[in-house]
Amino acid sequence: MVENDRFLVTNIRQYLNSDNPKLGEDKLIQELSEFSCPQNSDIEHFLKKSAIEFTKKNQSVTNLVFSLKSMALVGYFTIALKPLTVRGERVSNTIKRKIMRVSDFDSQTQTYTMSAYLIAQLGKNYTDGRNKEIMGAELLELAWSIIEDIQYMGGGMVVFLEANDEERLLAFYQDNNSHLLRKVWLRTIWLPFHK
């Protein structure tokens, strides 16, 4: 559990692994049922239909973000470990040097493959205006905080996310990219996601 002066971040495993009658899977399902994201139905669908199973299977872990002021669920993010393959000609020499330290190079395909942390989901809760209690940048910062803890305990240096190729969404990540790159010492690769 991570807490700052405005938010509480709870790994859903705390619900799933608890003997406390105030927690447990039924309470988690109830919390998730109150989440709404009309801007992106995939974000809502994943949280309500897949997050629990993905966590049980260790495919990813979802973290719920609660406002300390209202104690309402205001957002969530999901983190996974995923292999990332990058073609050598698509990155600068500086990035290549950084990637070479943590990847395997395939000379036939001219690709680098490495383990990376994926911010797989990131969404705000629009139920009853709760989306106004947290900024997207704050939600992203909370995800980074968890990833930094994981990196400290287990290593790794590459973090990426995949985003729909929508101008507003890509602009959001680009706007936050420079701040986050400074914070994590160029450990980020942002990739547009194309369905």
Side-chain angles (χ1 to χ4, degrees):
M1 190 176 323
V2 172
E3 187 173 331
N4 67 20
D5 60 335
R6 295 190 54 222
F7 303 106
L8 171 70
V9 179
T10 303
N11 182 319
I12 67 170
R13 285 186 169 145
Q14 291 179 307
Y15 285 87
L16 298 174
N17 298 335
S18 178
D19 293 330
N20 184 336
K22 293 181 180 182
L23 294 176
E25 190 167 341
D26 290 339
K27 176 64 174 170
L28 176 59
I29 291 169
Q30 179 187 342
E31 289 283 356
L32 302 184
S33 72
E34 297 175 12
F35 186 90
S36 172
C37 186
Q39 284 73 4
N40 188 332
S41 60
D42 291 342
I43 296 290
E44 183 174 341
H45 183 267
F46 176 84
L47 184 63
K48 291 180 175 180
K49 304 295 183 192
S50 302
I52 292 172
E53 283 308 309
F54 276 47
T55 298
K56 286 179 178 179
K57 292 177 184 178
N58 291 316
Q59 291 176 283
S60 64
V61 176
T62 296
N63 293 270
L64 305 179
V65 179
F66 296 91
S67 164
L68 287 175
K69 183 177 179 182
S70 66
M71 288 313 293
L73 175 62
V74 294
Y76 83 96
F77 56 88
T78 301
I79 299 170
L81 191 58
K82 184 176 178 179
L84 176 64
T85 300
V86 177
R87 284 184 285 188
E89 76 271 3
R90 296 193 79 185
V91 296
S92 70
N93 287 334
T94 302
I95 297 294
K96 278 183 197 176
R97 282 192 297 276
K98 291 176 186 279
I99 288 175
M100 285 191 311
R101 294 183 294 157
V102 295
S103 66
D104 292 320
F105 180 69
D106 183 330
S107 59
Q108 286 187 322
T109 61
Q110 295 293 300
T111 58
Y112 298 89
T113 302
M114 67 212 87
S115 293
Y117 298 101
L118 168 67
I119 300 175
Q121 300 287 332
L122 185 75
K124 291 174 30 173
N125 187 2
Y126 286 78
T127 301
D128 298 329
R130 293 179 190 166
N131 59 303
K132 295 175 182 160
E133 294 187 54
I134 188 167
M135 302 296 295
E138 291 173 309
L139 188 58
L140 190 56
E141 187 69 35
L142 291 167
W144 274 111
S145 175
I146 297 294
I147 289 170
E148 286 175 332
D149 289 347
I150 295 168
Q151 288 174 323
Y152 178 78
M153 291 186 280
M157 68 178 259
V158 178
V159 179
F160 74 107
L161 61 81
E162 298 171 324
N164 290 329
D165 195 6
E166 297 172 12
E167 190 173 324
R168 184 180 62 79
L169 188 58
L170 294 176
F172 165 74
Y173 288 121
Q174 192 64 38
D175 289 347
N176 286 284
N177 193 20
S178 59
H179 164 72
L180 293 170
L181 283 175
R182 282 193 300 276
K183 182 174 173 103
V184 297
W185 304 285
L186 298 173
R187 292 186 287 180
T188 311
I189 297 174
W190 301 94
L191 299 174
F193 172 72
H194 300 283
K195 290 185 178 181

